[in-house]
């Protein structure tokens, strides 16, 4: 299937990339405003951190809902509904005059922010197959990768000429633009005859069946652990940049720009080589880059007691490049396992990643971020774990007969 005529491929990339961006935008654009918000709302730094915590908690809880809902009522309705809720929630944040009100509306933002990323992946697989799907997902990843780099800059620019509520009014405008673009430009990609009834008991049964599928577990774990190597550094960015590299709060670009650059370059290469080399070979190449990054990182921190730029940020850059090669292939493999339940599979994959990231941010980062070598070893352990699960999957796929492998990939509703 090719993209509908009403939405040319380039416009589809921009729209799906924008839908994936509005979630990260709602986090990163607010970071520069924390001091001003805390001063006006009478909240200390720890209290302001709750505006991120409640957002991420709501995001994680509803990540398991967006996909199945889109399987039942269609992708377009879920995306439009999520954008509408997010717009209202952003208005509420802009008008908030106390911390409790702000926290409540931030939670509502989190409830709706996942529709763009989660349902957008299902849309890609609805429209395209094989190499074309990989190219589109890689192109969307390039657009999405811009968000963490430019969002804090935009937030700082807005604070330069206005007060902090203007950041949320910017999010209102951004989500309205996406809502109008989706309304007029994105057709429904999940036809009625392919939809599943929205019933709690079958939905829970299918979720359990997907989660217990060994192949899903191997692919999801490979992706989550592989990204965990990079997310450990992202979660530890304040300590890594200011304490270990001895830079100031205006020099975070030394870390984020190379990291985002590596990810965008990897996504670009992934799109270019789609169809020219096999998916398994591309994943192997990506993990080789991640392994080289881990080796260089550990070696550098062993030899250099005081890490500094630019050498300390080059291994995370190479790591992000490798991750961008691995991610599209693993994600498409998961979606291809459940042709009628791509939304559910996408939701469960996202939830797996969110839980892993929460453990990294809440437990491992505080333990490891005081020393560069500890961070490097932790990241290397994540890379090794991700590669091990991928290796397990490749060995299993070679050993299992074709008929059994096909049966293992059947949708839960077909097997139960």
């Amino acid at each position: 299937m090719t993209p509908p005529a009403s939405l040319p491929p380039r416009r589809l990339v921009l729209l799906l990339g924008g839908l994936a961006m509005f979630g990260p935008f709602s986090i990163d654009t607010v970071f520069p405003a924390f001091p001003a918000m805390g001063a006006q709302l009478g909240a200390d730094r720890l209290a302001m951190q709750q505006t991120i915590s409640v957002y991420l908690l709501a995001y994680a809880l509803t990540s398991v809902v967006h996909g199945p809902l889109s399987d039942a009522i269609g992708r377009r309705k879920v995306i439009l509904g999520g954008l509408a809720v997010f717009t209202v929630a952003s208005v509420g944040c802009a008008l908030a005059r106390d911390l409790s009100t702000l926290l409540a509306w931030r939670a509502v933002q989190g409830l709706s922010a996942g529709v763009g990323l989660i349902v957008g992946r299902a849309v890609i697989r609805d429209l395209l197959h094989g190499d074309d799907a990989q190219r589109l997902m890689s192109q969307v990843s390039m657009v999405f990768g811009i968000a963490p780099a430019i969002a804090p800059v935009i937030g700082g620019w807005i604070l330069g000429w206005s007060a902090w509520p203007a950041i949320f009014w910017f999010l209102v405008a951004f989500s309205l633009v996406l809502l109008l673009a989706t309304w007029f430009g994105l057709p429904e990609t999940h036809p009625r005859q392919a939809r599943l009834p929205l019933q709690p008991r079958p939905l829970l049964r299918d979720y359990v069946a997907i989660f217990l599928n060994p192949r899903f577990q191997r692919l999801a774990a490979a992706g989550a652990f592989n990204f965990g190597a990079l997310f450990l550094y992202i979660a530890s960015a304040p300590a890594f940049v200011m304490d270990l590299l001895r830079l100031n709060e205006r020099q975070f670009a030394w870390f984020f720009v190379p990291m985002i650059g590596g990810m965008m370059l990897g996504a670009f290469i992934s799109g270019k080589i789609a169809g020219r080399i096999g998916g398994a070979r591309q994943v192997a190449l990506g993990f080789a880059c991640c392994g080289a990054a881990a080796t260089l990182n550990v070696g550098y921190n062993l030899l250099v007691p005081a890490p500094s730029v630019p050498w300390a940020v080059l291994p995370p850059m190479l790591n992000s490049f490798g991750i961008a090669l691995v991610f599209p292939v693993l994600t498409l493999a998961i979606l291809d396992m459940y042709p009628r339940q791509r939304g559910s599979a996408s939701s469960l994959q996202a939830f797996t990643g969110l839980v892993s990231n929460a453990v990294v941010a809440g437990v491992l980062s505080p333990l490891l971020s005081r020393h560069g070598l500890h961070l490097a070893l932790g990241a290397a352990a994540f890379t090794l774990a991700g590669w091990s699960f991928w290796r397990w999957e490749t060995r299993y796929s070679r050993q299992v007969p074709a008929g059994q492998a096909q049966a293992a990939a059947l949708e839960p509703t077909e097997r139960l």
Side-chain angles (χ1 to χ4, degrees):
M1 184 183 298
T2 57
S6 60
L7 194 61
R10 184 170 298 179
R11 194 175 303 174
L12 181 63
V13 169
L14 293 176
L15 176 55
L16 293 178
L19 289 171
M21 286 171 69
F22 84 87
F25 256 42
S26 60
I27 298 178
D28 296 344
T29 52
V30 183
F31 278 148
F34 268 21
M37 293 169 66
Q40 182 172 335
L41 300 177
D44 58 20
R45 185 175 180 179
L46 180 60
M48 288 306 305
Q49 189 66 30
Q50 295 176 19
T51 64
I52 303 299
S53 300
V54 297
Y55 172 90
L56 291 176
L57 178 62
Y59 191 115
L61 290 176
T62 54
S63 66
V64 296
V65 176
H66 300 314
L69 194 61
S70 75
D71 288 334
I73 67 175
R75 318 293 189 209
R76 189 171 182 270
K77 290 180 181 179
V78 175
I79 292 175
L80 289 172
L83 286 169
V85 172
F86 185 86
T87 301
V88 173
S90 298
V91 172
C93 291
L95 298 177
R97 293 297 176 264
D98 59 79
L99 182 61
S100 59
T101 302
L102 179 63
L103 290 175
W105 284 115
R106 286 289 282 172
V108 178
Q109 275 189 324
L111 292 175
S112 56
V115 294
L117 181 62
I118 294 170
V119 182
R121 292 176 183 173
V123 169
I124 292 174
R125 192 56 189 83
D126 288 341
L127 292 174
L128 298 171
H129 303 278
D131 301 331
D132 291 331
Q134 181 180 324
R135 291 189 190 95
L136 180 56
M137 186 165 289
S138 297
Q139 291 167 354
V140 170
S141 297
M142 287 179 61
V143 177
F144 168 73
I146 299 173
I150 67 173
V153 177
I154 292 175
W157 286 347
I158 293 174
L159 283 177
W161 58 267
S162 186
W164 65 264
I167 293 178
F168 291 104
W169 289 119
F170 163 76
L171 293 177
V172 170
F174 185 61
S175 54
L176 281 175
V177 169
L178 289 174
L179 193 151
L180 292 174
T182 302
W183 181 275
F184 290 107
L186 184 66
E188 179 55 60
T189 63
H190 192 52
R192 290 184 179 275
Q193 62 269 23
R195 297 178 190 175
L196 301 173
L198 189 62
Q199 299 175 354
R201 184 172 296 178
L203 175 61
L204 179 59
R205 180 189 64 190
D206 288 354
Y207 253 143
V208 172
I210 294 173
F211 182 75
L212 294 180
N213 186 318
R215 184 164 188 257
F216 171 85
Q217 293 176 347
R218 291 191 294 268
L219 291 170
F225 280 116
N226 191 38
F227 183 75
L230 183 62
F231 190 76
L232 177 61
Y233 273 85
I234 295 174
S236 307
F240 178 64
V241 172
M242 292 190 287
D243 298 338
L244 298 179
L245 300 182
R246 297 178 301 280
L247 303 175
N248 60 47
E249 63 276 5
R250 295 182 300 275
Q251 295 177 298
F252 274 76
W254 274 108
F255 170 61
F256 281 102
V257 170
M259 180 194 70
I260 298 301
M263 187 167 294
M264 293 182 65
L265 179 60
F268 175 78
I269 297 297
S270 175
K272 287 295 183 181
I273 64 178
R276 300 181 182 180
I277 68 173
R281 186 178 176 187
Q282 178 175 324
V283 173
L285 177 61
F287 272 115
C289 293
C290 294
T295 303
L296 291 172
N297 200 20
V298 172
Y300 174 77
N301 281 276
L302 281 173
L303 296 174
V304 180
S308 60
V309 294
W311 311 111
V313 299
L314 293 181
M317 179 180 176
L318 180 58
N319 191 25
S320 66
F321 175 83
I323 289 171
L325 292 180
V326 171
F327 171 79
V329 179
L330 295 184
T331 299
L332 290 173
I334 289 174
L335 297 180
D336 285 347
M337 291 172 63
Y338 304 100
R340 295 187 62 201
Q341 294 175 303
R342 291 172 184 141
S344 298
S346 180
S347 281
L348 200 53
Q349 182 195 15
F351 181 76
T352 302
L354 288 168
V355 171
S356 173
N357 293 345
V359 173
V360 171
V363 179
L364 296 180
S365 175
L367 292 176
L368 303 178
S369 59
R370 295 181 182 181
H371 303 283
L373 180 58
H374 295 173
L375 275 178
L377 289 172
F382 273 106
T383 297
L384 179 60
W387 176 81
S388 298
F389 275 100
W390 169 250
R391 185 66 174 170
W392 184 9
E393 166 60 20
T394 56
R395 287 184 175 179
Y396 181 83
S397 63
R398 287 197 298 264
Q399 294 172 358
V400 175
Q404 295 182 22
Q406 184 178 4
L410 287 177
E411 299 175 58
T413 51
E414 295 177 9
R415 289 187 288 107
L416 298 179

